Amino acid sequence: MMKRLATAFLALAAATPGWGQAVNDYPTNARAEYVFTCMATNGQNRAMLDRCACAIDQIASVLPYEDYVNAETVLRMQQISGERASMFKGMAEMNEFVARLRRAEAEAEILCF
């Protein structure tokens, strides 16, 4: 009975367009980079690996990958000095990208840490 139920669930998941992709639209290297950075910041142990992996999974569930890339780009550009960086520091649209990422990270921290 359980085998049939599991098979039915997997068939339903495969038949539902976009259902699995919404959670898995981040490339593996982006997830790995996040986890490596998270672990470097918080600790190099198994518990932190699990927490950091949970965090990027949670972020991916609420923030599309394109928005994640945009926010990361803005954050990197804000660290640069000079005229090029000024548009990334003052524009409301740029700040909104970062704000959405920060909200997703805060939610992930609550759920995973």
Side-chain angles (χ1 to χ4, degrees), residues 30-91:
R31 288 177 184 264
E33 181 180 347
Y34 181 91
V35 171
F36 290 147
T37 302
C38 175
M39 289 179 67
T41 303
N42 297 300
Q44 302 281 340
N45 57 53
R46 177 63 193 200
M48 201 51 62
L49 171 66
D50 293 339
R51 289 180 181 142
C52 293
C54 171
I56 190 60
D57 289 344
Q58 182 60 37
I59 291 167
S61 74
V62 297
L63 191 67
Y65 181 65
E66 183 178 343
D67 292 351
Y68 176 80
V69 170
N70 289 338
E72 286 291 320
T73 302
V74 170
L75 287 170
R76 286 188 175 117
M77 291 303 294
Q78 286 178 343
Q79 294 176 358
I80 297 171
S81 61
E83 286 184 43
R84 288 191 207 183
S86 63
M87 74 176 254
F88 291 95
K89 294 177 182 175
M91 290 181 63

